[in-house]
Amino acid sequence: METNLNYCIVLSAEQLTYLAGSKYGIDRMKILRLLIEATVLKETEYAIKGFSMTLQVGQAVLSEVDLSSKLSYDKKTISRVLDKMNQLGIVASTQSNRTSIHTLKCISAWMQDGNRIDNPFYVRLKDRLDERENLPAKLDECKQISFSSFPFISVSPQTVATEDSGGDIPTDNRI
């Protein structure tokens, strides 16, 4: 069944510059595209070999091994790119010995056949920048937490999935 699907992606100049750049022939935008294509648009049950979880709208299951084989890139390269995407606030990734869950923070919504699907994990640009400024303090807090079992990791969705008018776009309309 073919549907008309459009994406509302919000990126800062720094995020776009990173994604558009290429080092050693690695197309970072292709990696993001694969993550976007794997993202679920409705709550979905996911299960593999003794591991199951419920994926929320805005989350994708795609291991570094899967990404590296689909793109013919080295797994370490994929890992570095994903780490940088996490650092820049484009995605938030969690890993287990079974797979990786990627939560897309840069997509505010999808338009599917004229219906808007809000991303509950979307984080406004201003808030992504604030998160990065507070990163060292958050990392210290995270070091004290031990994640012994992947299925118990939960991500709380943001309640606001829309931009405030003028919040991310300068008033002179230059991007």
Side-chain angles (χ1 to χ4, degrees):
M1 185 171 117
E2 193 171 314
T3 61
N4 184 9
L5 183 63
N6 297 294
Y7 308 91
C8 303
I9 301 173
V10 181
L11 296 169
S12 70
E14 180 184 19
Q15 292 167 333
L16 185 59
T17 299
Y18 174 74
L19 290 169
S22 177
K23 190 172 184 180
Y24 308 115
I26 304 303
D27 188 340
R28 300 169 186 150
M29 196 63 89
K30 279 185 180 178
I31 296 170
L32 179 61
R33 190 191 87 229
L34 285 176
L35 291 173
I36 290 171
E37 289 173 353
T39 302
V40 299
L41 300 181
K42 63 181 181 178
E43 194 172 281
T44 305
E45 292 298 319
Y46 175 79
I48 59 166
K49 298 180 187 172
F51 171 81
S52 66
M53 73 170 295
T54 301
L55 292 173
Q56 304 298 318
V57 172
Q59 293 184 316
V61 173
L62 205 55
S63 72
E64 291 176 0
V65 172
D66 290 338
L67 280 168
S68 64
S69 67
K70 286 181 181 195
L71 296 167
S72 299
Y73 296 156
D74 183 73
K75 184 184 170 292
K76 287 182 182 180
T77 301
I78 295 292
S79 181
R80 282 189 219 114
V81 171
L82 288 173
D83 286 347
K84 185 67 174 180
M85 291 170 98
N86 276 273
Q87 181 186 12
L88 289 171
I90 298 168
V91 299
S93 301
T94 54
Q95 298 176 350
S96 76
N97 61 350
R98 300 272 188 218
T99 192
S100 298
I101 308 297
H102 307 281
T103 303
L104 280 89
K105 298 164 81 175
C106 64
I107 296 183
S108 64
W110 295 265
M111 292 297 293
Q112 185 176 37
D113 295 326
N115 298 314
R116 181 182 170 122
I117 303 168
D118 288 327
N119 182 0
F121 297 103
Y122 171 69
V123 178
R124 292 179 17 201
L125 273 180
K126 176 185 174 293
D127 296 335
R128 281 185 249 165
L129 295 173
D130 290 346
E131 282 179 4
R132 287 181 55 206
E133 289 171 5
N134 297 326
L135 190 60
K138 287 183 180 182
L139 285 177
D140 289 339
E141 292 171 17
C142 290
K143 286 178 186 174
Q144 298 172 4
I145 300 170
S146 148
F147 298 110
S148 60
S149 178
F150 186 73
F152 295 106
I153 297 173
S154 66
V155 179
S156 300
Q158 299 292 322
T159 56
V160 178
T162 59
E163 288 292 320
D164 292 336
S165 61
D168 293 326
I169 301 173
T171 54
D172 60 4
N173 292 327
R174 287 186 300 153
I175 296 178

